[in-house]
């Protein structure tokens, strides 16, 4: 008699209906994950819904404190509650305006001056934005008092006033103007007007400096102007007043968005030694004198800086979605101007590697600041409303029916689908399936902003690696 091969073994139990449904959901989920690699991005649902976490405060790299700019920040920072980034960015903007239009870089046929638009974003009365400017104003009053007295204005920005103050005259007048707007929310509010001409005027001021007013009986023009902007605003004012049109039409990407907060507590204030301030002022004055003696300076990179520029250019020029992408899409030009300012501070017509590294460090800080301000906002009302509702829901997810109810059923299914695809491309949401008595239901959940940032960084690194591999293969060929 043959022994029973199944002796001592238990027969496996037959799967129940719920087991079959659960397995179908698992298989469906796997298929969805494969599908979304080419169409929609999905993720397996986390064990517990996680809420978006605020990104940490950006850190200003030591590389940004190079040369005379670093000397000034290290001298001023211990004696003020203002953030070092606020001191640095306003110093670079002020110096870039004080040198005038003579120093410049050329990219193809485009001329880039050293004028910057810097926007400090921080809490009112606590971020010490005004305090930081007072430090820069005090320093430059010793460097070039006529420039501070005559070429720095706090007047309300209007197209007519801007063009008239710099209008072409004989003999030629000073082309420099630093506009200080400590109530930038009012400026952003005026940019939203349908008939407003301030936005295109400021964009022209950043680009070429050639301004024209065609209104009225006597058109006015101001050619070859050199206009810089320093603006202060709170995060809430920025969110409420920056219209998506201005974010996407090129105004936002001409600004260096800089997050600031109080850096230390000084109940008695600072006590900067007058001799130390004079030593910094002397270095800045030496750079201004060098520019004045050279008349016209065209800055170019040396071999080391050019090699580094080729390495970082793919990441700088990468297209990113949403308001963050719109606000940082002029990264190449911003880094170029920053590196040129660092070179002129060194009295050098050559942009060397330390100048470029300092500029990249400043840009990294401004880019991280912009990410914390704009986050996963798309600028699209429907998409942003859906994401807001997902984050506010009790379980951190919404179904399509709930999304439709969000707009009281007045929004088409195709419009909701387009909004979902936009949020997916931004890396803000992911799709999951929830088993039920019948067909599994589809839910949409938010991805924490910290994970979105990490994905963006890894994507940048992979892009750089792929570009390097392609260049290596081309060289070998």
């Amino acid at each position: 008699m043959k022994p029973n091969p199944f002796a001592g073994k238990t027969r496996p139990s037959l799967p129940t209906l719920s087991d079959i449904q659960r397995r179908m959901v698992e298989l469906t989920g796997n298929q969805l994950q494969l599908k979304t690699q080419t169409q929609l991005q999905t993720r397996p649902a986390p064990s517990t819904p996680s809420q978006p976490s605020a990104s940490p405060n950006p850190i200003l790299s030591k590389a940004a404190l190079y040369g005379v700019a670093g000397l000034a920040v290290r001298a001023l920072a211990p004696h003020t509650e203002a953030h070092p980034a606020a001191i640095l960015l306003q110093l670079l903007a002020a110096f870039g305006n004080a040198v005038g239009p003579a120093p410049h870089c050329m990219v193809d046929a485009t001329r880039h001056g050293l004028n910057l638009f810097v926007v400090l974003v921080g809490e009112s009365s606590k971020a010490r934005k005004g305090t930081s400017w007072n430090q820069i104003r005090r320093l430059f009053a010793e460097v070039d008092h006529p420039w501070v007295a005559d070429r720095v204005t706090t007047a309300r920005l209007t197209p007519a006033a801007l063009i008239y103050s710099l209008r072409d005259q004989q003999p030629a007048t000073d082309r420099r103007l630093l506009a200080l707007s400590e109530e930038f929310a009012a400026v952003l509010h005026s940019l939203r007007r349908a008939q407003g001409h301030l936005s295109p005027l400021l964009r022209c001021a950043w680009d070429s400096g050639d301004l024209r007013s065609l209104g009225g009986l006597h058109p006015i023009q101001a050619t070859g102007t050199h206009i810089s902007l320093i603006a202060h605003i709170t995060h809430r004012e920025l969110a409420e007043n920056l219209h998506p049109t201005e974010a996407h039409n090129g105004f936002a990407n001409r600004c260096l968005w800089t997050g600031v907060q109080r850096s230390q507590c000084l109940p008695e204030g600072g006590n900067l030694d007058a001799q130390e301030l004079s030593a910094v002022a002397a270095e800045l004055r030496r750079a201004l004198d060098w520019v004045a003696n050279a008349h016209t300076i065209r800055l170019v990179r040396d071999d080391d800086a050019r090699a580094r520029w080729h390495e970082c250019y793919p990441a700088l020029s990468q297209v990113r979605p949403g308001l963050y992408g719109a606000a940082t899409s002029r990264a190449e030009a911003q880094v170029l101007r920053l590196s040129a300012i660092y070179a002129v501070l060194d009295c050098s017509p050559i942009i060397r590697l330390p100048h470029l590294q300092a500029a990249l460090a400043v840009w990294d800080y401004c880019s991280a600041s912009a990410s914390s301000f704009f986050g996963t906002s798309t600028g699209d009302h429907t998409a942003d409303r859906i994401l807001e509702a997902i984050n506010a829901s009790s379980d951190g997810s919404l179904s399509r029916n709930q999304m439709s109810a969000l707009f009281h059923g007045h929004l088409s299914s195709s419009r909701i689908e387009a909004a979902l695809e936009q949020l997916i491309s931004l890396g803000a949401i992911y799709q999951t399936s929830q088993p039920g008595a019948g067909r599994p239901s589809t839910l949409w959940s938010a991805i924490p902003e910290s994970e979105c940032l990490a994905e963006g960084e890894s994507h940048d690194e992979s892009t750089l690696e792929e570009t390097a591999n392609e260049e290596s293969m081309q060289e070998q060929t």
Side-chain angles (χ1 to χ4, degrees):
M1 182 177 179
K2 293 183 179 181
N4 185 1
F6 300 101
K9 297 183 180 180
T10 59
R11 185 187 298 269
S13 59
L14 294 176
T16 62
L17 180 59
S18 61
D19 293 333
I20 295 175
Q21 290 178 342
R22 189 182 306 110
R23 183 55 179 161
M24 289 177 63
V25 170
E26 293 176 356
L27 294 174
T28 304
N30 292 335
Q31 292 173 356
L32 285 172
Q33 289 180 354
L34 293 175
K35 178 181 178 182
T36 52
Q37 290 179 1
T38 55
Q39 296 180 352
L40 300 177
Q41 177 186 358
T42 63
R43 289 190 173 190
S47 56
T48 57
S50 55
Q51 298 297 328
S53 58
S55 57
N57 294 327
I59 299 175
L60 185 64
S61 171
K62 291 182 179 179
L65 304 180
Y66 169 82
V68 179
L71 177 68
V73 173
R74 283 189 289 268
L76 297 174
H79 305 283
T80 177
E81 294 183 339
H83 195 279
I87 299 174
L88 175 63
L89 266 296
Q90 290 179 118
L91 182 142
L92 295 175
F95 179 81
N97 186 265
V99 296
H104 66 282
C105 301
M106 295 298 298
V107 180
D108 293 334
T110 303
R111 186 183 192 277
H112 286 272
L114 273 58
N115 55 314
L116 302 176
F117 287 4
V118 172
V119 182
L120 303 186
V121 185
E123 292 304 315
S124 178
S125 78
K126 296 299 181 184
R128 301 299 189 263
K129 300 186 293 293
T131 300
S132 62
W133 167 248
N134 291 337
Q135 292 285 349
I136 300 302
R137 185 183 184 90
R138 176 189 175 190
L139 173 62
F140 274 85
E142 188 167 339
V143 175
D144 188 351
H145 187 271
W147 175 80
V148 173
D150 302 330
R151 309 319 303 166
V152 178
T153 179
T154 58
R156 183 170 174 264
L157 287 175
T158 63
L162 199 60
I163 295 180
Y164 186 80
S165 63
L166 296 171
R167 68 191 184 280
D168 294 343
Q169 301 180 68
Q170 291 296 335
T173 56
D174 199 333
R175 306 280 82 192
R176 301 173 298 171
L177 183 69
L178 173 61
L180 175 65
S181 178
E182 295 185 297
E183 298 295 336
F184 194 54
V187 177
L188 291 180
H189 182 73
S190 66
L191 294 180
R192 299 175 60 176
R193 297 174 184 170
Q195 301 300 324
H197 301 290
L198 183 58
S199 176
L201 196 69
L202 288 175
R203 281 179 273 150
C204 289
W206 192 91
D207 292 341
S208 64
D210 293 334
L211 313 179
R212 290 177 176 83
S213 174
L214 301 179
L217 298 176
H218 304 285
I220 303 175
Q221 66 178 11
T223 56
T225 64
H226 190 70
I227 300 175
S228 305
L229 172 67
I230 292 178
H232 300 169
I233 194 172
T234 67
H235 192 180
R236 181 172 180 176
E237 289 174 333
L238 177 62
E240 293 177 351
N241 291 283
L242 181 62
H243 194 271
T245 300
E246 301 306 325
H248 291 280
N249 69 4
F251 173 76
N253 61 31
R254 286 170 171 82
C255 298
L256 290 167
W257 303 97
T258 309
V260 297
Q261 60 273 339
R262 187 170 68 178
S263 62
Q264 58 182 333
C265 185
L266 298 177
E268 300 294 334
N271 186 23
L272 178 62
D273 183 70
Q275 292 183 349
E276 189 174 4
L277 182 68
S278 297
V280 177
E283 292 297 322
L284 291 170
R285 193 181 304 111
R286 182 171 66 90
L288 291 179
D289 292 341
W290 175 76
V291 172
N293 294 330
H295 300 293
T296 300
I297 303 171
R298 179 177 175 179
L299 295 108
V300 295
R301 303 182 187 92
D302 66 6
D303 292 340
D304 291 339
R306 189 177 297 110
R308 180 70 182 100
W309 178 252
H310 286 195
E311 292 175 1
C312 65
Y313 187 81
L316 292 175
S317 57
Q318 182 182 0
V319 177
R320 294 177 176 83
L323 285 184
Y324 166 68
T328 57
S329 59
R330 210 171 287 267
E332 313 96 296
Q334 298 284 16
V335 172
L336 172 64
R337 295 191 180 198
L338 288 167
S339 63
I341 291 176
Y342 277 103
V344 174
L345 282 168
D346 260 358
C347 302
S348 170
I350 307 298
I351 300 175
R352 300 194 299 270
L353 184 59
H355 305 145
L356 179 56
Q357 290 176 332
L360 289 169
V362 172
W363 173 252
D364 286 343
Y365 184 90
C366 294
S367 177
S369 298
S371 177
S372 67
F373 304 148
F374 304 112
T376 53
S377 297
T378 65
D380 179 84
H381 172 73
T382 302
D384 289 341
R385 181 70 184 93
I386 290 174
L387 182 59
E388 180 184 356
I390 290 175
N391 289 327
S393 62
S394 58
D395 60 350
S397 61
L398 286 182
S399 65
R400 285 294 296 271
N401 289 338
Q402 290 173 316
M403 294 178 193
S404 180
L406 193 64
F407 301 95
H408 308 287
H410 296 158
L411 205 63
S412 65
S413 177
S414 60
R415 185 67 188 87
I416 295 178
E417 186 68 28
L420 291 175
E421 290 181 359
Q422 189 175 11
L423 290 171
I424 287 173
S425 67
L426 188 61
I429 62 174
Y430 63 95
Q431 177 185 355
T432 58
S433 296
Q434 184 178 32
R439 224 174 133 189
S441 59
T442 302
L443 297 178
W444 301 85
S445 304
I447 298 174
E449 288 188 11
S450 57
E451 292 188 21
C452 297
L453 295 176
E455 287 184 359
E457 293 173 357
S458 63
H459 185 66
D460 290 348
E461 292 175 358
S462 62
T463 303
L464 286 174
E465 184 177 354
E466 291 172 2
T467 304
N469 292 337
E470 292 177 0
E471 293 177 351
S472 177
M473 293 177 62
Q474 291 175 359
E475 291 177 357
Q476 292 175 4
T477 305

